[in-house]
Amino acid sequence: MEVEPLPQQAQEKIEPAKTADLVIGIVPELDHEALVALRDGLRTLSGSPRVAILIDDRTPQPDPASPEAFEKSGDPFLVPWPKLTPDTPGTPTASMANAYQSVFAACEQFGAQACGVITSKLETASSDWIRQLVRPLLEDGVDLVAPRYARHKFEGLLNSSIIAPLTRCLYGKRIHNPMGPDLGISRRLFQKLTPTDRNPGSAVNRGNPLASIAPGALCNSLQVCEVYVAARIYPATDWTNFSSILAQVLSPLFLDMERYATCWQRTRNSVPVPAIGDPVSVSQETGTVDISRLVESFQLANRDLQEIWGLVLPPSTLVALRKISRLPVEQFRMPDDLWVRIVFDFALGHHLRIINRDHLLKSMTPLYLAWVASYAQGLASAGAATLDQTLERLSVAYETGKPYLVSRWRWPDRFNP
Amino acid sequence: MWGQIKQALAQSTAQFLTRLASLLPGVVALVLALVVSIILGCILAAIVRRFLGAVQFDQRLARWGVPSLAEWSPANSPTLLVSRAIAAFVIFAGLLIGIAAFDAEWTSLFVRSVFAYIPNVLGAALVLFVGSVIARFLGRSVLIGAVNLNLQYARFLSVGVKWLVVVLAVAMALEHLRIAPGIVELAFGILFGGIVFALALAVGLGSKDLVTKSLERDAQKASAENIEEPFRHV
């Protein structure tokens, strides 16, 4: 993760403030009340740290404190920041990456001990959760604070199906949202991830730094904790561009598997990380869920994409997929161990460059939709307890299947029926 | 009379032997060039085979999307095909050098024209290879994109795109080889236009119902998504 040089405009904005202990970059637009509440909340942090809050310079600035006020009173100081929000809608991962790069650059410039990146809006109106997210960085010496959003069963599915259980199985820590996207990061972790003369190989995903933060912290044995926060508001699915988004999210995740291969191959089992705060409950009510379109998409792909899947998946998996593609929609199920094998085989295919990586990841879309269909079928009328059990079962399936991944990663040419 | 016949026979025998004797150095040179080129070809082929085996050329080629080369290869091994092609090329070059050693005007002209044609052959082979790789890549891109858009005729589209590129590559290769360029241009125009026309007809007329259904389904999908889409992924 290379820190991009600051634009001249940004340099001018930083000059009067000079230093800060904590930098918080806020991507979504906050109204005046929320900002005032946030500033009041941040004043209660122990040790009275100097806090710089970056807000996008294109959004209206409600009440910017002057640099002089910042110097004198130590009040949180608002810094209008260029390019904090995306220029290009429809590329969420790229815009997240830009926001992170901007905040890291500001963090470096301020010489801050820690930084927080806020890219989401939560269902609760209170902005106190931002204070809760950054507090452990300053008060408890934690290096990575990850959010533990209140979970609705049909939201954050990519995280539930691949990112969280894969991170847990690979690196041995049960982080529920390893890719945030709202994270608190210490300077120590930030420096570990930034290439220097002494550790030039540590450069992480420039395309999506989010993916490398949790693996970087875990493989460097840094302190990680979670903070319970309210449910996140997710953007609606852009179906026309979905396979590209899937590829953008999974590619850095799989690239990090290559980078940290020696670390995750040593890791056995998983342990929970400390969680701060109280769980927030959320209603699991949904209307009627129609999975027929997801199943149809999978059936079409099973007919037409055999040529590509055959290069990545072993014959036993292809046979199993053919079997489930013949199931009627009401009985449609994808077993956890089958899904885990598919994810592992695609990660291996990505590592071995069996075919063009973009083709490989995009061809995984119908398989992911099949998992979503199966998951939705299983949880149609389920409550929070069943949801937790289901996801725990999936995570355990990932951990159980890890020897297969390690074996094929080390000896990819071995016979694999 | 008998003396004259004997003299004529002796003269023609002497002429034959003289010509044969004058050819002998050329024949020896040809045999020598052939032997040397066969040995050189075998050594080069062995080196290339080892090298390609070490870099897992066959597997890489399959990953790059050129499995069709394996189908044309002896024992389904492109490594074997390449090494044998190199050996054959060296032996053929040796043969041409040997023929040139006869020092006859026509042989040197023939050899010169054959050597002058070799860049065209290599260029055509390169065009075919690149065309095959691009066709495979585009075919896959279209197939995956169309399947992800839930198009029922994804495979048909993919095959159509692939063949368009293959036909284009073959026409370019033939043009490069200067084989009946007028006919190739005409045939290519007809074939390429035919494929595009067939695709247009198939989509526009033959698959009218299919397209209508697909568009209807897309419209329904869009409206359904607006009404209720409980899944949030990223």
Side-chain angles (χ1 to χ4, degrees):
Chain A
M1 182 170 56
E2 291 167 31
V3 178
E4 289 178 352
L6 285 175
Q8 182 62 33
Q9 199 186 348
Q11 290 270 16
E12 287 162 10
K13 291 178 194 308
I14 279 181
E15 200 55 41
K18 291 174 191 162
T19 58
D21 299 313
L22 175 67
V23 172
I24 303 177
I26 297 182
V27 177
E29 198 177 319
L30 292 185
D31 57 21
H32 179 72
E33 286 76 27
L35 266 175
V36 169
L38 173 62
R39 287 174 63 182
D40 291 344
L42 291 171
R43 278 198 195 103
T44 63
L45 288 171
S46 68
S48 306
R50 284 177 295 176
V51 183
I53 303 172
L54 311 184
I55 55 168
D56 193 274
D57 62 355
R58 288 168 294 185
T59 57
Q61 296 154 35
D63 180 25
S66 67
E68 290 76 23
F70 175 76
E71 283 290 298
K72 283 176 190 163
S73 68
D75 270 356
F77 172 63
L78 290 183
V79 185
W81 200 254
K83 288 185 179 177
L84 207 56
T85 50
D87 291 324
T88 49
T91 53
T93 50
S95 48
M96 294 266 187
N98 282 343
Y100 268 80
Q101 293 286 1
S102 293
V103 175
F104 288 150
C107 196
E108 188 81 348
Q109 193 74 15
F110 278 115
Q113 287 175 32
C115 61
V117 187
I118 308 300
T119 63
S120 310
K121 277 193 171 181
L122 299 194
E123 282 176 356
T124 54
S126 162
S127 55
D128 194 49
W129 69 278
I130 300 175
R131 184 187 65 85
Q132 289 168 5
L133 196 73
V134 294
R135 197 186 55 76
L137 295 168
L138 299 174
E139 295 180 4
D140 304 328
V142 173
D143 295 292
L144 173 65
V145 186
R148 188 159 172 182
Y149 303 110
R151 191 161 46 191
H152 186 276
K153 59 186 172 188
F154 293 150
E155 292 185 341
L157 292 178
L158 200 49
N159 179 62
S160 304
S161 62
I162 303 177
I163 300 167
L166 186 63
T167 305
R168 167 177 164 172
C169 125
L170 291 178
Y171 306 106
K173 290 278 159 69
R174 297 175 195 168
I175 305 176
H176 291 77
N177 295 88
M179 282 171 77
D182 308 296
L183 294 173
I185 299 154
S186 74
R187 183 171 185 80
R188 195 162 35 162
L189 171 57
F190 172 63
Q191 284 176 335
K192 290 267 184 201
L193 299 174
T194 311
T196 60
D197 294 340
R198 280 168 57 194
N199 59 344
S202 70
V204 298
N205 267 306
R206 194 176 166 76
N208 188 359
L210 258 178
S212 301
I213 292 170
L218 298 175
C219 288
N220 284 297
S221 306
L222 299 180
Q223 274 200 62
V224 180
C225 79
E226 286 184 314
V227 169
Y228 284 105
V229 291
R232 181 173 170 245
I233 299 173
Y234 289 86
T237 309
D238 175 11
W239 285 108
T240 53
N241 200 23
F242 185 68
S243 58
S244 300
I245 292 172
L246 189 79
Q248 281 174 37
V249 173
L250 294 185
S251 181
L253 195 71
F254 290 163
L255 281 173
D256 275 330
M257 283 178 72
E258 286 181 5
R259 190 168 294 120
Y260 295 111
T262 48
C263 166
W264 62 256
Q265 287 183 28
R266 286 197 306 262
T267 309
R268 299 272 180 277
N269 304 321
S270 68
V271 289
V273 293
I276 299 168
D278 298 316
V280 183
S281 62
V282 64
S283 163
Q284 299 294 341
E285 284 299 311
T286 53
T288 314
V289 179
D290 179 19
I291 60 161
S292 57
R293 194 168 62 83
L294 304 176
V295 176
E296 271 174 32
S297 181
F298 165 67
Q299 286 168 337
L300 174 69
N302 190 58
R303 194 191 68 194
D304 288 345
L305 290 184
Q306 284 291 325
E307 171 201 338
I308 293 167
W309 289 353
L311 297 169
V312 186
L313 302 172
S316 57
T317 306
L318 292 174
V319 170
L321 287 175
R322 244 175 254 141
K323 269 187 195 165
I324 64 167
S325 77
R326 285 196 286 264
L327 293 173
V329 174
E330 311 79 55
Q331 294 167 21
F332 188 81
R333 284 284 189 284
M334 179 182 272
D336 285 344
D337 56 343
L338 176 64
W339 171 242
V340 169
R341 283 270 174 128
I342 289 169
V343 174
F344 286 165
D345 283 320
F346 271 82
L348 286 160
H350 191 270
H351 166 58
L352 298 171
R353 293 174 186 272
I354 288 175
I355 55 169
N356 175 284
R357 285 178 163 177
D358 196 46
H359 285 171
L360 177 93
L361 295 175
K362 284 182 175 172
S363 71
M364 196 181 167
T365 309
L367 294 167
Y368 168 72
L369 295 181
W371 178 84
V372 172
S374 165
Y375 171 83
Q377 185 93 302
L379 289 179
S381 56
T386 318
L387 168 68
D388 287 342
Q389 282 168 10
T390 305
L391 294 180
E392 177 61 22
R393 227 177 13 245
L394 179 66
S395 300
V396 170
Y398 268 89
E399 289 187 33
T400 313
K402 189 174 174 182
Y404 169 80
L405 174 68
V406 174
S407 155
R408 287 215 58 213
W409 193 278
R410 289 181 181 165
W411 303 286
D413 293 330
R414 270 192 187 171
F415 177 64
N416 185 30
Chain B
M1 177 67 181
W2 180 242
Q4 282 173 340
I5 292 170
K6 264 179 80 176
Q7 196 181 354
L9 277 173
Q11 270 177 357
S12 55
T13 308
Q15 268 179 6
F16 167 73
L17 287 173
T18 311
R19 287 206 178 163
L20 190 68
S22 70
L23 277 177
L24 268 179
V27 172
V28 172
L30 173 65
V31 170
L32 197 66
L34 261 179
V35 169
V36 170
S37 63
I38 286 170
I39 292 168
L40 200 65
C42 290
I43 291 170
L44 266 179
I47 291 170
V48 168
R49 200 163 46 238
R50 283 227 166 157
F51 173 72
L52 294 181
V55 299
Q56 296 183 319
F57 180 67
D58 293 358
Q59 291 90 325
R60 276 172 194 265
L61 215 60
R63 281 179 212 163
W64 294 338
V66 205
S68 51
L69 195 63
E71 289 161 19
W72 304 337
S73 309
N76 280 340
S77 166
T79 298
L80 218 54
L81 180 75
V82 171
S83 59
R84 285 187 188 175
I86 287 173
F89 179 76
V90 172
I91 294 167
F92 183 65
L95 180 72
L96 291 177
I97 292 166
I99 291 171
F102 278 103
D103 204 22
E105 197 181 339
W106 67 270
T107 51
S108 54
L109 269 176
F110 170 72
V111 169
R112 217 174 292 159
S113 63
V114 168
F115 270 110
Y117 197 61
I118 286 174
N120 292 41
V121 175
L122 291 178
L126 190 68
V127 166
L128 271 182
F129 176 74
V130 173
S132 161
V133 172
I134 292 174
R136 178 62 64 121
F137 183 86
L138 288 181
R140 269 187 191 163
S141 297
V142 170
L143 180 66
I144 294 167
V147 166
N148 285 337
L149 286 173
N150 261 359
L151 299 181
Q152 294 295 324
Y153 44 87
R155 178 158 287 280
F156 175 71
L157 270 181
S158 153
V159 171
V161 167
K162 194 168 136 186
W163 276 102
L164 277 177
V165 180
V166 168
V167 167
L168 183 69
V170 169
M172 283 167 71
L174 288 175
E175 176 75 21
H176 216 74
L177 290 172
R178 284 177 285 167
I179 296 173
I183 295 173
V184 168
E185 266 177 36
L186 194 67
F188 168 70
I190 293 169
L191 199 58
F192 198 85
I195 291 175
V196 173
F197 191 56
L199 276 174
L201 275 182
V203 175
L205 296 173
S207 313
K208 199 172 68 181
D209 294 338
L210 199 67
V211 173
T212 314
K213 274 183 200 164
S214 176
L215 291 175
E216 275 171 5
R217 201 182 304 136
D218 285 347
Q220 282 167 2
K221 256 183 252 164
S223 58
E225 276 157 22
N226 290 337
I227 297 163
E228 185 191 13
E229 174 51 87
F231 304 117
R232 296 286 182 269
H233 303 272
V234 183

